[in-house]
Amino acid sequence: MRIILFLLIFISTLNFAQDKTPVKRDPYLQAPSPAQPKQVRPEDKVKIIHADEIKKDPEKYDGNQYFTGHVQIEHQGSILTADEVVLYNEENFVKAIGNTRLQNTDGSVITAGEMEYDANTQKGVARKNVVLTDPKQTIKTDILYYDRLANQAYFNTGGTISDGQNVTYAKVGTYFLNTRVVDLTGNVKIETPQYIIDGPNIKQNQNTKIADFNGPTTITSKTNPRNRIYTERGTYKMDSKEAYLTKNSRIFYNEKILTGDDMYYNQISGFGKATGNVTLDDPKERRYIKGGYGEIFEKKDSAMMTKNPYAVKVMEKDSIYFAAEKIISYQRPDSLDIKVKKSYLRAFKKARIYKSNAQGRADSIAFNETDGIMHMYTSPILWSGEKQVTGDKVEAYFNTKTEDIDSLKVIGNAFAISKVDSLNLKDEFNQVKGKFMTVYYEKNDIKEARVVGNAQSIVYVDDTDQETKKPERIGITLSTCGIIGALFEERALQIISCSIGANSDTYPMSKIEPARRKFPDFNWNTKDRIRKWQDILVDSPNNEEIQYTADSELFDKAQKAIDDEKAKEEAKKPKRTRK
């Protein structure tokens, strides 16, 4: 592409006398001072190889001598042909008019309607349908300025650059011949077979096929214009279709948006990654994921986020928040209709979830966003109000229309606990447990539970005093059944059914010792309880453990009376004395 360096470097000494009328130059070629023309060495003058005629007309070219008819001149191996050539020998300046063509020794060619060149400053101008071609590309513009000393060519009236595959359009372009870098500004557009690149300033390296972006730039897919890249500073490898983005960047793919401080994306493989303040937004699912590092896999329609990630499922009434060491989102075709895609979210290791009426923890959480089904694996614990549910596995079912939890299924070692009275700190908890449990919600609160398999319950029983109309504690009911149906009320747990091997006994508070008021695996957890969505951002909020007060006054009083009675009876017995 050294053609521009040699453009019209063909001035040589002529032995034809000319008048000294100053040449009318392009403003770009104005002489720096009115000093005398620079003396040019004879070997730097051009050679006239051929011309049909030599003419001089006072009415034409300010009376300067000119050549016509198949004019051909040469300078250091470069050949210029034109219909007419005017030589200003005193100023070492030349004008070529009509079908001008410059053939350079490196094989590059410039054609134009006319050309000017100042051999003293080694600057030139080509005008009117300028076409520069070399073995790798073609540049087209109306006016091309070039500077041999600076090794630069420049246009500012709009131009195109084509390499056989890609076509570049720009208002202004500067070509650095040594480095083969084109600096383009003003509504730059690069069109490739697959993509269109738009931006205010793009630098292309013709050797490496690498483009650098400065300012708001987009790379848009032709087949799917929604898939695109936006950046305000970045680098793009034209051959491998790899983008490196470093400022205010976004990757749009499959109706999702990935942002981050530093980003990479391969348009061929569909793999992308981002670091620092990463966000993956899915407007269709109304869900976004944030973290310190993220990866996307466009062809698999999946993504992964790490470094303190959390996800927010935005809902009109009540959003859901997820957090874990790693969060994965993906889409898969519906097994019943492959045209329908279902969205899934998975949180691995120390997973947490927050919803205003349900908060939970587990080693991992899998959420089917489309169907509204959430699975909690390995030591799951779910809180709802002052109620807690644990088990080997918990499944939560959401109503996708109302966005509320409809029910829970607890599989293996199911255990539900509810505080008898949330307004006090008495150590009183209703409990129901068994192998399997189904929990039903009503108005965003746990309302009913059905326990199957080795079902057991511990329930505090109250009655209303007829005189004071206030609740009065009757005692505690211990039940064992094959199946238990329990109804959670505001301050009570009512056993509404107990079938298959039912055994139920109610003990007054004076007759049941504190140890029997809780199951051996009782695990009410206040330290790890998530009470606001920000609590999911840490492994555990590490709340101060709530200290509850045991109410065993009646039992202790009754036990003391029994002990005292035993002591009296023991005192009445005759004492043996050894003789």
Side-chain angles (χ1 to χ4, degrees), residues 260-298:
D261 293 341
D262 291 289
M263 303 176 68
Y264 165 84
Y265 185 61
N266 188 314
Q267 291 177 309
I268 296 176
S269 66
F271 170 76
K273 62 182 179 180
T275 58
N277 298 309
V278 183
T279 300
L280 177 61
D281 192 6
D282 190 338
K284 185 176 180 181
E285 288 297 328
R286 296 192 300 174
R287 182 249 299 138
Y288 62 86
I289 309 173
K290 288 182 174 291
Y293 176 81
E295 295 180 353
I296 60 172
F297 305 86
E298 178 184 344

Side-chain angles (χ1 to χ4, degrees), residues 258-415:
L258 178 69
T259 63
D261 293 341
D262 291 289
M263 303 176 68
Y264 165 84
Y265 185 61
N266 188 314
Q267 291 177 309
I268 296 176
S269 66
F271 170 76
K273 62 182 179 180
T275 58
N277 298 309
V278 183
T279 300
L280 177 61
D281 192 6
D282 190 338
K284 185 176 180 181
E285 288 297 328
R286 296 192 300 174
R287 182 249 299 138
Y288 62 86
I289 309 173
K290 288 182 174 291
Y293 176 81
E295 295 180 353
I296 60 172
F297 305 86
E298 178 184 344
K299 295 182 179 180
K300 293 182 178 180
D301 208 354
S302 63
M304 180 272 293
M305 194 81 69
T306 60
K307 293 186 178 180
N308 303 316
Y310 69 93
V312 181
K313 179 76 173 179
V314 179
M315 296 182 174
E316 293 182 6
K317 299 178 181 178
D318 185 16
S319 299
I320 308 177
Y321 299 80
F322 299 87
E325 291 184 0
K326 179 190 294 185
I327 295 178
I328 293 176
S329 66
Y330 60 94
Q331 289 187 320
R332 293 290 183 270
D334 188 350
S335 58
L336 300 178
D337 186 355
I338 60 174
K339 295 181 181 179
V340 177
K341 282 191 174 183
K342 291 188 176 183
S343 294
Y344 300 86
L345 186 75
R346 289 193 174 184
F348 293 95
K349 297 226 185 237
K350 300 178 180 179
R352 288 91 67 188
I353 178 176
Y354 174 86
K355 198 173 184 291
S356 64
N357 65 321
Q359 307 84 42
R361 311 176 66 86
D363 183 68
S364 62
I365 295 174
F367 184 36
N368 180 333
E369 299 176 83
T370 305
D371 296 336
I373 303 173
M374 184 176 69
H375 303 265
M376 303 176 68
Y377 301 95
T378 311
S379 304
I381 180 169
L382 191 72
W383 296 276
S384 186
E386 291 303 307
K387 303 175 183 67
Q388 175 185 293
V389 176
T390 58
D392 295 339
K393 177 185 176 183
V394 173
E395 295 179 358
Y397 296 84
F398 292 81
N399 186 315
T400 56
K401 293 183 178 179
T402 63
E403 303 174 349
D404 296 328
I405 298 178
D406 280 343
S407 61
L408 303 175
K409 283 186 178 180
V410 188
I411 302 169
N413 295 309
F415 196 166

Side-chain angles (χ1 to χ4, degrees), residues 53 413 461:
E53 295 183 78
N413 295 309
V461 183

Side-chain angles (χ1 to χ4, degrees), residues 176-294:
F176 301 88
L177 285 90
N178 287 340
T179 59
R180 293 181 63 86
V181 172
V182 184
D183 190 346
L184 306 167
T185 58
N187 300 320
V188 184
K189 180 179 181 181
I190 303 176
E191 189 167 346
T192 76
Q194 299 86 20
Y195 299 95
I196 296 176
I197 306 172
D198 293 281
N201 179 210
I202 299 176
K203 292 183 180 180
Q204 283 183 283
N205 188 310
Q206 303 298 342
N207 286 326
T208 61
K209 298 295 183 182
I210 293 177
D212 293 316
F213 308 138
N214 286 288
T217 305
T218 58
I219 306 174
T220 306
S221 169
K222 284 185 175 180
T223 56
N224 185 359
R226 291 185 177 182
N227 286 2
R228 63 193 187 278
I229 296 172
Y230 172 86
T231 187
E232 293 180 13
R233 184 170 59 241
T235 298
Y236 184 63
K237 295 184 177 180
M238 306 288 290
D239 290 339
S240 60
K241 304 295 186 295
E242 294 175 282
Y244 300 83
L245 317 172
T246 57
K247 182 181 179 181
N248 295 336
S249 307
R250 296 187 287 274
I251 298 173
F252 299 80
Y253 76 103
N254 299 344
E255 300 183 83
K256 302 171 183 65
I257 307 167
L258 178 69
T259 63
D261 293 341
D262 291 289
M263 303 176 68
Y264 165 84
Y265 185 61
N266 188 314
Q267 291 177 309
I268 296 176
S269 66
F271 170 76
K273 62 182 179 180
T275 58
N277 298 309
V278 183
T279 300
L280 177 61
D281 192 6
D282 190 338
K284 185 176 180 181
E285 288 297 328
R286 296 192 300 174
R287 182 249 299 138
Y288 62 86
I289 309 173
K290 288 182 174 291
Y293 176 81

Side-chain angles (χ1 to χ4, degrees), residues 102 104 169 318 564:
L102 178 64
N104 288 284
Y169 309 86
D318 185 16
D564 290 345

